Amino acid sequence: MADQTTFRNIMGNYPTGVTVVTTATPEKEPVGLTVNSFTSVSMDPMLISWSIDKSVTTHDMFAEGSHFVVHTLAHDQGDVCMLFATKGTDRFSQVTWDWNEEGQPVIAGYSGLLECRVYKTVDAGDHTMLIGEVVRADHAETEPLLYHKRAFGGIPSSFYDN
Ligand SMILES: Cc1cc2nc3c(=O)[nH]c(=O)nc-3n(C[C@H](O)[C@H](O)[C@H](O)COP(=O)(O)O)c2cc1C
């Protein structure tokens, strides 16, 4: 038997990195949110996936859009992680960002950048899973931001000891 509390506790005790995923509305406004459901899927073609809660205000922009951008956050971007998870705030006025070739917003300071074309969307319970094909990528070689139980930070110095 599986209950939702056990499920939530197990997933909450699974540490992840953190990303911010962005896209543009049909009116060409930038939108984005903090996401840790991100993972790689395939090398050939290069595919990644993430899932968006159907209750997120910008759900339809992502589910019906053609492109999105995944920023894997750097260790010093805890403020960006919180900003893009905070409701009712003008997120893009508080970061440095620019448009890419496809008219998608790219935020500065990332550890890694994956500019994606929507490959497939999957209806998945209370979420929609988006699978993206990577069309452009950039790696900044910066230490990543880690997330666990509502805390975030860089890789602990003891991590590579053994
Ligand atoms: C560390 C972290 C990871 C998150 N991961 C996801 C995720 O994978 N999918 C998702 O839909 N929401 C995720 N959220 C919550 C969204 O960021 C949040 O609901 C969204 O920004 C709300 O946007 P809205 O105000 O436009 O509805 C996460 C939040 C945090 C703090």
Side-chain angles (χ1 to χ4, degrees):
M1 212 192 80
D3 62 84
Q4 288 188 348
T5 304
T6 308
F7 178 62
R8 189 180 297 113
N9 288 342
I10 292 169
M11 298 319 294
N13 194 30
Y14 186 67
T16 65
V18 193
T19 71
V20 166
V21 187
T22 59
T23 193
T25 69
E27 297 76 31
K28 311 220 180 309
E29 292 293 325
V31 293
L33 72 156
T34 299
V35 163
N36 71 344
S37 54
F38 163 78
T39 192
S40 66
V41 172
S42 161
M43 189 62 88
D44 185 16
M46 286 178 282
L47 302 178
I48 58 90
S49 79
W50 62 287
S51 298
I52 185 166
D53 193 311
K54 289 176 180 171
S55 72
V56 170
T57 57
T58 52
H59 170 271
D60 294 357
M61 312 300 160
F62 286 100
E64 293 165 16
S66 61
H67 291 77
F68 60 79
V69 177
V70 179
H71 310 73
T72 60
L73 296 189
H75 65 100
D76 57 357
Q77 289 188 299
D79 54 344
V80 179
C81 165
M82 291 317 295
L83 176 65
F84 278 79
T86 304
K87 286 190 168 290
T89 181
D90 182 359
R91 297 171 179 179
F92 283 85
S93 70
Q94 299 176 58
V95 290
T96 304
W97 66 277
D98 205 351
W99 298 110
N100 73 0
E101 274 179 38
E102 287 80 27
Q104 301 289 307
V106 173
I107 300 167
Y110 54 77
S111 158
L113 183 72
L114 298 162
E115 299 177 42
C116 299
R117 175 184 75 76
V118 175
Y119 182 85
K120 195 169 204 165
T121 59
V122 181
D123 183 48
D126 53 17
H127 281 58
T128 299
M129 181 188 286
L130 285 104
I131 301 175
E133 179 166 10
V134 179
V135 295
R136 202 174 304 111
D138 185 40
H139 184 212
E141 289 280 1
T142 337
E143 193 184 301
L145 184 67
L146 306 182
Y147 183 81
H148 182 239
K149 291 194 174 173
R150 300 186 186 195
F152 45 81
I155 296 171
S157 53
S158 62
F159 193 74
Y160 298 108
D161 280 358
N162 42 29

